[in-house]
Amino acid sequence: MSSRKRKCRDDVKVGKSLPNSSDVIVNTVKSKYFKTDNASSSGDAKTVKTSEKLGLSFYDKQCDVLAKHLLGKTLVRTLDSGERLSGVIVETEAYLGRVDKAAHSYKGKTEKNEAMFMDPGTAYVYNIYGMYCCMNISSKGEGCAVLIRSLEPKEGIDIMEKERSKGKKDQTKKLKHKDFCNGPSKLCQSLHITKNAINKLDMTSSDKIWLEDNKTINDDMIVVSKRININYAEDWVDKPLRFYVLGNQCVSVKDKEAEKAFE
């Protein structure tokens, strides 16, 4: 990679906290992949600033635009116990509603996909394989939503590790930090995101799940490629509607061909 691109990787901008932010005690880890972070490198509890929830104006964008703007924002989940879990969004996919053959909403509104037709900023959570979940956020446009594919874990690391380790045969082998949320179902497992608890919640006002401003990712740091596991989508299979942060190790699947554009 050229020296110019290496420099760009260090130039990720830090978004300003919104007014009336509050201090909370959380278990955080310092980002290995973003230059600036409020957290402790040791993972010890520290006091960090938490921003207000992002409002409707943030979500009220065309789906592919929102998918890019979500990169670098912090997804926050609070448990009934009051514990706060969060991660920085590093990978997304856009699903463009009634025109997109890969979208759940392609054939119209159903009871299952109703959240995709609700106001921008509505959480759409669905079950897959009878035991896992995936989370999307509705955008502007009929039946449009963005799939959250990967997070870089930030707060509640101990809880994430415990949740992701459930059911594993070899409990002596610890998961790597980057593997806690590097996939749509993995992040839902780590953050206790389920259909029953989160589906159809308004993320602009919910006290269970929301987004906070964190970092602005410039276009020259965003890899654009085709979406994952949509072989059924015919002529929409290769549409460039997946977006991820260049160089971030928490991305689920890297597109080496697309990354050549950054060399």
Side-chain angles (χ1 to χ4, degrees):
M1 181 176 291
S2 70
S3 60
R4 185 183 72 82
K5 287 302 176 184
R6 286 197 296 269
K7 183 178 185 298
C8 287
R9 185 168 297 174
D10 289 337
D11 285 342
V12 178
K13 297 180 180 178
V14 180
K16 296 181 179 179
S17 295
L18 297 176
N20 302 318
S21 61
S22 58
D23 292 339
V24 296
I25 303 296
V26 292
N27 184 16
T28 62
V29 295
K30 184 177 180 180
S31 171
K32 297 179 181 178
Y33 315 114
F34 290 113
K35 184 177 180 181
T36 307
D37 197 285
N38 290 328
S40 163
S41 59
S42 65
D44 295 335
K46 293 289 181 180
T47 301
V48 299
K49 283 287 186 180
T50 61
S51 303
E52 288 185 342
K53 302 175 180 69
L54 289 174
L56 177 61
S57 61
F58 173 79
Y59 300 100
D60 195 17
K61 299 177 175 72
Q62 295 297 328
C63 192
D64 56 335
V65 174
L66 179 61
K68 291 200 291 184
H69 285 195
L70 283 168
L71 298 175
K73 306 310 178 191
T74 301
L75 177 65
V76 180
R77 169 80 166 104
T78 56
L79 306 181
D80 292 341
S81 62
E83 291 169 296
R84 174 179 161 118
L85 313 176
S86 75
V88 178
I89 299 173
V90 297
E91 182 183 3
T92 60
E93 289 180 348
Y95 288 86
L96 309 186
R98 299 299 305 278
V99 301
D100 185 348
K101 293 179 181 178
H104 288 181
S105 53
Y106 174 60
K107 294 184 178 180
K109 184 177 178 181
T110 66
E111 183 178 353
K112 176 183 176 180
N113 67 25
E114 184 179 5
M116 298 181 77
F117 293 85
M118 296 173 72
D119 289 341
T122 300
Y124 168 45
V125 181
Y126 59 88
N127 297 325
I128 60 170
Y129 307 128
M131 58 187 300
Y132 301 115
C133 294
C134 293
M135 179 185 168
N136 304 252
I137 303 174
S138 66
S139 69
K140 185 176 183 178
E142 185 182 15
C144 297
V146 179
L147 173 68
I148 309 302
R149 277 202 62 88
S150 296
L151 305 176
E152 181 179 330
K154 186 175 181 181
E155 303 170 51
I157 305 302
D158 292 343
I159 295 174
M160 292 186 190
E161 183 175 18
K162 181 179 179 181
E163 290 304 310
R164 286 281 291 115
S165 297
K166 285 182 178 179
K168 292 193 175 298
K169 294 181 179 179
D170 186 358
Q171 292 292 328
T172 63
K173 187 175 181 181
K174 294 191 68 173
L175 282 170
K176 294 180 179 179
H177 174 263
K178 69 181 183 66
D179 293 328
F180 291 171
C181 301
N182 63 336
S185 294
K186 293 177 183 179
L187 71 87
C188 285
Q189 184 179 4
S190 290
L191 272 66
H192 288 247
I193 295 172
T194 64
K195 181 176 180 179
N196 287 341
I198 302 299
N199 189 44
K200 298 184 182 179
L201 291 185
D202 180 353
M203 295 179 65
T204 69
S205 60
S206 173
D207 61 358
K208 293 183 178 181
I209 194 161
W210 64 87
L211 291 183
E212 293 177 357
D213 201 2
N214 184 46
K215 307 173 191 299
T216 298
I217 309 300
N218 297 328
D219 283 344
D220 60 2
M221 284 293 298
I222 299 175
V223 180
V224 181
S225 68
K226 65 181 182 180
R227 296 170 291 185
I228 305 297
N229 294 331
I230 57 163
N231 294 334
Y232 57 86
E234 300 176 0
D235 53 321
W236 279 76
V237 167
D238 295 323
K239 298 289 185 183
L241 292 170
R242 181 166 72 103
F243 309 93
Y244 66 85
V245 178
L246 179 67
N248 191 288
Q249 296 303 306
C250 297
V251 170
S252 65
V253 180
K254 295 185 178 181
D255 188 327
K256 298 298 184 182
E257 191 65 31
E259 290 188 10
K260 287 182 180 179
F262 294 86
E263 294 177 352

